[in-house]
Amino acid sequence: MSGDSASSDNTLRWCVGGTSHWTTQLEAGNWYNFAYDIDFDAQMVGLWASNGSSPLTQVVSGVSASASTNSADWHIGELRLDNGGSDSAAEDWFWSGIFVEKAPITADVAGPK
């Protein structure tokens, strides 16, 4: 993931090999959930995303990538908050719920029911 808080571009991008494959406009107070899907045998990656407590949905699949590790998926929750500073780039970022799991992916981000 990449973003540029120092400019007026408020876009979060998911890139593979320097090429953007998915974007979203960041909104203050919005909770962003992501899962990075890795197929080590096929050398492919994908991205799952949602907002708030909505289940993850696959937004990118089957992008060729150089993948090597232990066949795990990982999820990241991200919250961007304006911290009340006088400059337009004044913001705080929060990361939560980072974990690794073996397939199939857990799409329910709201926890056990």
Side-chain angles (χ1 to χ4, degrees):
M1 295 291 175
S2 66
D4 184 357
S5 62
S7 74
S8 60
D9 183 2
N10 206 32
T11 306
L12 181 65
R13 293 173 181 81
W14 184 72
C15 300
V16 177
T19 302
S20 179
H21 291 273
W22 178 85
T23 63
T24 191
Q25 292 299 301
L26 295 171
E27 297 177 23
N30 196 7
W31 185 262
Y32 298 89
N33 305 294
F34 301 98
Y36 191 57
D37 192 357
I38 307 168
D39 183 333
F40 295 97
D41 293 331
Q43 295 291 290
M44 304 291 268
V45 294
L47 181 68
W48 296 62
S50 72
N51 297 103
S53 62
S54 297
L56 292 164
T57 59
Q58 191 171 41
V59 294
V60 179
S61 66
V63 176
S64 179
S66 176
S68 61
T69 190
N70 63 354
S71 298
D73 293 332
W74 56 280
H75 299 216
I76 299 175
E78 182 177 311
L79 179 63
R80 175 184 177 260
L81 297 174
D82 181 299
N83 68 15
S86 60
D87 126 15
S88 64
E91 60 194 17
D92 294 322
W93 291 82
F94 296 89
W95 301 85
S96 176
I98 299 172
F99 62 95
V100 175
E101 66 183 14
K102 193 169 185 167
I105 191 169
T106 302
D108 185 0
V109 298
K113 295 183 182 192

